[in-house]
């Protein structure tokens, strides 16, 4: 009976044509959070997704993609599949060094994504220098910044402990992920740290942006993350922060209100903040 009803509504040739437009790409997709492009080979890119296969790679400019696999030794932990991949960064000094933030963990590759080293949550967030022990870990890793000339120095921004939406943190390694320090002298930030950027002209200057439902703060450090000052606060959370490569006194941020320009006034010694693009995003 069902076949007769369908045939009476849609001619059979049309049904066959509709079926033919579908093809299996062999990928388990999801919402894309982040993209990284190899500066030495722009045809090579990584894309991180929410759930799905988690991390994808292309070597031909995006025409064909493949899921990135890891040598899983801890099922459900040291793999990208069914995880939220929040950030992917290639080291500016060596694009073969790739860092990925996913769920509570980070992965590091030194061969362009062929093999991976797993960064345990406990090593980064529980047992590191200035860390607070068992009650101060299991933070979602949301952002990554790699030193412009030393691929061993990496920053990871995170949410609050046990996935909370407050009291964010930043972790730093100077030996490629073997040991870690909770910077800002071990203190938390106001909200989850969702974006990081390093001044390419002075790597001691690091920028961090935090985000909550109704608030966000832009921070600046002049000593590699030891201490931080607040540059700007808004009533909307931030999404990203970027230093203009040829001008360290010009910073751009993206948040739910649009795009802001932050520039330093040498006469007053103050940072000025100007909204240059207005937009409103839903939560």
């Amino acid at each position: 009976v069902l076949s007769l009803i369908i045939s009476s509504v849609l001619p059979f040739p049309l049904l066959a044509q509709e079926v033919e437009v579908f093809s299996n790409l062999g990928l388990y997709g999801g919402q894309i959070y982040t993209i990284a492009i190899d500066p030495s080979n722009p045809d090579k890119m990584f894309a991180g997704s929410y759930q799905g296969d988690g991390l994808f790679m292309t070597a031909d400019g995006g025409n064909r993609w493949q899921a990135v696999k890891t040598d899983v030794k801890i099922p459900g932990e040291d793999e990208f599949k069914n995880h939220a991949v929040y950030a992917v960064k290639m080291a500016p000094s060596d694009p073969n060094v790739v860092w990925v933030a996913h769920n509570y963990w980070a992965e590091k590759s030194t061969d362009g994504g062929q093999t991976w080293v797993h960064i345990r949550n406990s090593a980064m967030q529980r047992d590191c220098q200035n860390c607070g022990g068992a009650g101060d870990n299991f933070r979602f890793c949301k952002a990554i910044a790699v030193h412009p000339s030393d691929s061993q120095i990496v920053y990871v921004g995170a949410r609050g402990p046990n996935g909370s939406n407050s009291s964010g943190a930043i972790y730093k390694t100077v030996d490629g992920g073997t040991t870690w320090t909770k910077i800002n002298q071990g203190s938390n930030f106001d909200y989850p740290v969702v974006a990081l950027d390093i001044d390419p002209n002075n790597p001691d200057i690091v920028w961090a942006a935090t985000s909550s439902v109704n608030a966000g703060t832009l921070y600046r450090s002049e000593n590699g993350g030891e201490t931080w000052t607040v540059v700007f606060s808004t009533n909307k959370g931030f999404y990203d922060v970027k230093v203009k490569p040829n001008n360290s006194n010009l910073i751009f941020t993206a948040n739910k209100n649009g795009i802001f320009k932050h520039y330093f006034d040498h006469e007053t010694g103050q940072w000025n903040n100007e909204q240059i693009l207005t937009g409103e995003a839903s939560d």
Side-chain angles (χ1 to χ4, degrees):
V1 175
L2 181 59
S3 61
L4 292 175
I5 295 174
I6 293 176
S7 297
S8 65
V9 177
L10 294 174
F12 178 78
L14 179 59
L15 288 176
Q17 181 181 5
E18 290 295 329
V19 172
E20 289 173 0
V21 301
F22 292 95
S23 59
N24 184 0
L25 300 178
L27 299 177
Y28 174 33
Q31 178 180 343
I32 301 299
Y33 273 155
T34 181
I35 295 173
I37 302 175
D38 187 337
S40 63
N41 177 17
D43 283 337
K44 182 178 180 179
M45 298 185 290
F46 291 91
S49 75
Y50 180 81
Q51 304 299 324
D53 278 321
L55 184 66
F56 302 92
M57 181 175 69
T58 177
D60 59 5
N63 292 313
R64 292 170 297 179
W65 292 83
Q66 66 183 58
V68 178
K69 306 295 184 180
T70 61
D71 183 14
V72 179
K73 298 179 180 179
I74 312 172
E77 182 171 320
D78 59 338
E79 56 188 325
F80 301 121
K81 190 178 181 67
N82 294 324
H83 286 189
V85 175
Y86 292 110
V88 181
K89 291 292 177 69
M90 296 179 176
S93 60
D94 183 0
N96 283 319
V97 177
V98 186
W99 281 83
V100 179
H102 65 109
N103 285 19
Y104 303 110
W105 308 284
E107 308 293 328
K108 173 193 174 185
S109 174
T110 58
D111 54 13
Q114 299 304 309
T115 60
W116 298 86
V117 174
H118 181 56
I119 307 299
R120 297 294 300 267
N121 178 269
S122 56
M124 181 196 300
Q125 300 182 12
R126 187 191 72 190
D127 302 329
C128 73
Q129 183 177 348
N130 295 338
C131 285
D136 195 30
N137 61 346
F138 286 107
R139 300 168 179 263
F140 280 103
C141 299
K142 301 282 289 186
I144 295 175
V146 184
H147 192 283
S149 59
D150 187 347
S151 63
Q152 294 287 93
I153 301 177
V154 179
Y155 300 81
V156 176
R159 291 181 62 172
N162 299 305
S164 66
N165 203 34
S166 62
S167 303
I170 299 176
Y171 301 91
K172 179 181 180 181
T173 179
V174 297
D175 54 16
T178 301
T179 60
W180 294 84
T181 299
K182 183 181 179 183
I183 58 178
N184 196 25
Q185 299 179 341
S187 298
N188 292 322
F189 293 80
D190 53 357
Y191 307 114
V193 178
V194 297
L196 295 166
D197 202 20
I198 301 174
D199 189 333
N201 305 302
N202 182 356
D204 285 335
I205 297 178
V206 186
W207 291 84
T210 66
S211 179
S212 186
V213 176
N214 296 311
T217 305
L218 177 63
Y219 291 88
R220 181 177 186 266
S221 173
E222 294 184 345
N223 49 22
E226 290 293 325
T227 57
W228 298 78
T229 58
V230 173
V231 172
F232 182 60
S233 296
T234 78
N235 61 351
K236 297 289 186 180
F238 284 103
Y239 292 130
D240 206 357
V241 55
K242 294 295 182 184
V243 181
K244 190 174 183 181
N246 63 349
N247 186 353
S248 299
N249 292 322
L250 188 56
I251 316 299
F252 295 92
T253 55
N255 78 350
K256 294 180 181 180
N257 282 332
I259 296 177
F260 283 83
K261 178 173 69 174
H262 314 272
Y263 55 96
F264 188 74
D265 188 331
H266 290 279
E267 292 185 2
T268 64
Q270 301 293 324
W271 284 91
N272 295 323
N273 310 286
E274 175 186 348
Q275 188 169 358
I276 60 174
L277 179 65
T278 301
E280 183 67 26
S282 63
D283 292 328

